[in-house]
Amino acid sequence: MPFLGIATVVLAFCLLVRPSKALTREEKQWLASNPRDIPGLLLDPGAYRNNAAPVRGGSNFVTARIKPVKTDLLRITRSRALTGMGLAFIIAPQGGLAVELYYIADALFVSHIPFSQMTWGGTMQALMLSISFTLAGLFVLFSTTSNARLDRRQQTITLPGNNRTLAFNEVESVQLNQVLTTGERSFVNSQIQLNLHNGETLSLLSHGGKEQIYVDLIRTALFLDKPAVIPEA
């Protein structure tokens, strides 16, 4: 079906262009600087934890970024690449369904074919394809990022995926990990991990964007005023 071909092109565009790769001027400065030279950033290599937190899903591209919403609020937001992918899943099959509905209307109201003589195989196939792709698109849009909130005013971190709220003072450090994600394909994800004083480790964000995770970790550590644990390359 040509509309699925269009979807493939849109998906490829979203993944290859990756507009979410764009970094702000401040983030580019962080990326180009030695971590020891970043103003306000505390480093504590001794706080490194070997037990990496479990990764919620995985991807080989940037799925989300940690963005400042207000001066005292950070939020994990879905990347434009992921949004484009979800919308492509939703929109692409609707063209085939629209064509089938056009043919039905033409048969009933122009050609005056009796309803009992209509064939519905193509329409049902297009409808089932539309439903399945729409559900997949909605899952991509609303279930693949954590939408966590870091609120400096309330001194809390809300993790909706875990239905959990942490106080800033429960966090000991913020660690950068490289985690091997296995499945149908294996790839390395970068991860921002929260190390808690009680020994627990939690995954704040994980995806395939190494540079984006790095600058988001710096933003998080500065915002929480916690040491960053950045293993040396």
Side-chain angles (χ1 to χ4, degrees):
M1 193 173 290
F3 298 99
L4 293 181
I6 295 173
T8 302
V9 172
V10 173
L11 290 175
F13 178 81
C14 291
L15 295 178
L16 293 176
V17 176
R18 299 182 182 181
S20 54
K21 287 189 69 175
L23 302 177
T24 66
R25 179 180 299 179
E26 181 181 47
E27 290 169 343
K28 289 178 181 177
Q29 290 176 345
W30 291 343
L31 194 60
S33 301
N34 187 302
R36 297 181 182 85
D37 298 330
I38 297 175
L41 183 65
L42 305 173
L43 297 175
D44 187 2
Y48 179 78
R49 305 277 182 89
N50 288 315
N51 53 324
V55 174
R56 179 176 176 264
S59 70
N60 56 0
F61 65 99
V62 179
T63 58
R65 295 293 312 277
I66 298 179
K67 295 288 187 180
V69 179
K70 301 176 182 178
T71 305
D72 54 3
L73 180 65
L74 296 183
R75 184 190 292 273
I76 294 182
T77 60
R78 184 176 57 246
S79 72
R80 286 174 287 176
L82 191 64
T83 299
M85 179 182 293
L87 292 177
F89 270 106
I90 293 172
I91 294 171
Q94 311 312 326
L97 181 60
V99 170
E100 289 294 330
L101 293 176
Y102 169 80
Y103 285 137
I104 289 174
D106 181 75
L108 290 174
F109 302 113
V110 179
S111 302
H112 301 291
I113 297 175
F115 187 84
S116 60
Q117 297 180 16
M118 296 284 292
T119 57
W120 302 97
T123 303
M124 294 305 298
Q125 183 180 6
L127 181 61
M128 294 305 297
L129 193 65
S130 172
I131 292 173
S132 60
F133 269 67
T134 297
L135 291 176
L138 292 174
F139 175 81
V140 168
L141 289 176
F142 299 107
S143 301
T144 51
T145 54
S146 71
N147 297 316
R149 291 166 48 97
L150 292 80
D151 193 322
R152 182 183 286 153
R153 181 175 298 177
Q154 297 183 6
Q155 293 286 293
T156 58
I157 303 170
T158 305
L159 304 172
N162 298 331
N163 194 26
R164 182 173 179 180
T165 299
L166 302 171
F168 278 18
N169 59 18
E170 293 183 62
V171 178
E172 179 182 355
S173 58
V174 185
Q175 180 170 318
L176 177 65
N177 290 334
Q178 299 297 314
V179 181
L180 178 65
T181 301
T182 58
E184 293 184 4
R185 292 184 302 164
S186 297
F187 44 84
V188 176
N189 271 188
S190 297
Q191 180 192 49
I192 296 177
Q193 173 175 293
L194 300 178
N195 296 330
L196 307 188
H197 287 290
N198 64 4
E200 190 177 0
T201 58
L202 297 173
S203 179
L204 183 63
L205 180 61
S206 177
H207 56 63
K210 189 174 182 180
E211 292 181 350
Q212 291 76 17
I213 283 281
Y214 176 77
V215 295
D216 283 350
L217 174 130
I218 292 173
R219 184 180 302 281
T220 301
L222 290 172
F223 186 82
L224 296 176
D225 194 23
K226 301 292 181 179
V229 182
I230 305 175
E232 295 184 2

